[in-house]
Amino acid sequence: WMAERADVVLLFFDPDKPGTTGETLNILLHSLGGMDHKLLIVLNKADQFKKIHDFARAYGSLCWNLSKVIPRKDLPRIFTMCLPVASTTDGEAKSATTTEALDRHALADLHQSRDDVLAEVMKAPKRRIDNVITNLHDSVHLLLMHAVVAEDVRARYSKRQWENRMQEVSSLVLGVGLSALGIHFDVPLQFTGGVVGATVIGVGGMHWFNSSKLKDAEEQLTSIEELSASFQRTHPQEVSEADEFYSAIWARIRDPLRLSLWRSGLSDFPAVSKSDVAKLQNILDQEIPRLRRLASPSHHGSKYT
């Protein structure tokens, strides 16, 4: 809740356990999902490494663990920094470990990274509008994919339901027609009654059979496998290009979408019109870029654009 409303999120790691705990990975995967634009990853206390291969092992371990939960080819920047230490009268650091482990150039790099982190934090008020627009962009993408995939699943279910109803109506019309012909040509009542009884039993049995099949079809269509197939069918270009952004969005909405379809039921799930999809797409293509131009006229042209 707080991370969604914050303008900058700092996630600190220390040399002892650089991202190896399950709680940390769970936070990155669930609580901080979709917040890459305001997430700063910091490897703190980097001055505590006594040897370069210790730093390399910790940094590599952190990158490896982050790659499991951040669906991107390129990992975000990891700020390696240290906290300032008290100095003595002659200007030298009190920590003998730090002096032995790192030379002045290495410490200067760590302090520069710390200054970069502080600069990002101080820019938080200026990033507020941009974060709001980015959250809108992210929410519209989620809603659009949710609507498109849900409509694909609902349409497939509706098609099966319509085919079943047509079978039942056709059988009923056939039975009524035969009964009417029997009455018209003065066929014995036993035959006409038999046709009527067979029609009622046949249509009733077909309705029960189709209802059970529809229930099985609904369970199948709302399974993770079929929902993934619907995503691939509705987003063929993104899937063929292995678009990580759309893959990450799908990973975020897959379970909520399944729960929503299951609770509502496909028979009662509202249809999504093409105009609704077009309006959402227009927000992504036209309205959000216009908001960015208005929010940052110096970077995107005149404020009257």
Side-chain angles (χ1 to χ4, degrees), residues 95-296:
S95 175
T97 303
T98 301
T99 305
E100 295 174 357
L102 300 172
D103 58 18
R104 294 180 181 272
H105 296 291
L107 282 175
D109 291 338
L110 296 181
H111 289 308
Q112 181 60 49
S113 295
R114 177 178 176 274
D115 293 339
D116 294 341
V117 172
L118 288 175
E120 292 294 331
V121 173
M122 298 304 295
K123 289 191 301 183
K126 297 181 180 179
R127 297 175 57 176
R128 179 59 183 167
I129 297 178
D130 184 66
N131 285 338
V132 171
I133 298 175
T134 301
N135 288 336
L136 174 63
H137 180 268
D138 184 65
S139 299
V140 174
H141 264 294
L142 292 172
L143 179 59
L144 179 59
M145 183 176 292
H146 189 287
V148 170
V149 176
E151 176 60 20
D152 179 75
V153 175
R154 189 207 62 81
R156 293 170 65 196
Y157 177 84
S158 180
K159 180 180 179 181
R160 295 190 184 186
Q161 190 178 40
W162 176 254
E163 291 174 350
N164 291 343
R165 296 294 180 264
M166 288 300 297
Q167 291 176 0
E168 296 169 8
V169 171
S170 299
S171 299
L172 181 61
V173 170
L174 179 61
V176 172
L178 289 175
S179 300
L181 287 175
I183 295 174
H184 179 74
F185 290 105
D186 296 327
V187 176
L189 292 177
Q190 293 83 350
F191 175 79
T192 304
V195 171
V196 173
T199 300
V200 172
I201 294 174
V203 173
M206 183 179 296
H207 178 73
W208 174 83
F209 178 78
N210 288 339
S211 297
S212 62
K213 286 297 183 182
L214 271 178
K215 186 176 181 181
D216 294 339
E218 182 174 6
E219 293 179 357
Q220 181 183 7
L221 288 173
T222 54
S223 65
I224 294 297
E225 294 76 14
E226 285 298 321
L227 289 178
S228 298
S230 294
F231 165 68
Q232 295 175 4
R233 184 166 45 254
T234 54
H235 299 79
Q237 181 177 354
E238 291 80 2
V239 172
S240 63
E241 295 176 354
D243 193 307
E244 295 181 356
F245 176 73
Y246 281 89
S247 298
I249 293 179
W250 172 241
R252 292 170 60 189
I253 73 163
R254 180 181 56 202
D255 292 336
L257 173 61
R258 183 171 183 267
L259 182 61
S260 176
L261 294 174
W262 178 78
R263 285 181 174 177
S264 301
L266 294 180
S267 59
D268 298 326
F269 200 84
V272 180
S273 64
K274 293 183 178 179
S275 62
D276 294 334
V277 175
K279 290 177 181 178
L280 290 174
Q281 193 63 52
N282 181 69
I283 294 176
L284 290 175
D285 297 338
Q286 302 295 331
E287 298 299 327
I288 291 180
R290 186 176 66 86
L291 287 175
R292 291 196 185 279
R293 290 193 296 270
L294 292 174
S296 183

Side-chain angles (χ1 to χ4, degrees), residues 22-41:
E23 181 182 2
T24 301
L25 299 181
N26 183 68
I27 290 175
L28 279 169
L29 187 60
H30 297 96
S31 301
L32 299 179
M35 301 185 188
D36 298 347
H37 60 285
K38 58 182 178 181
L39 177 63
L40 301 181
I41 300 176

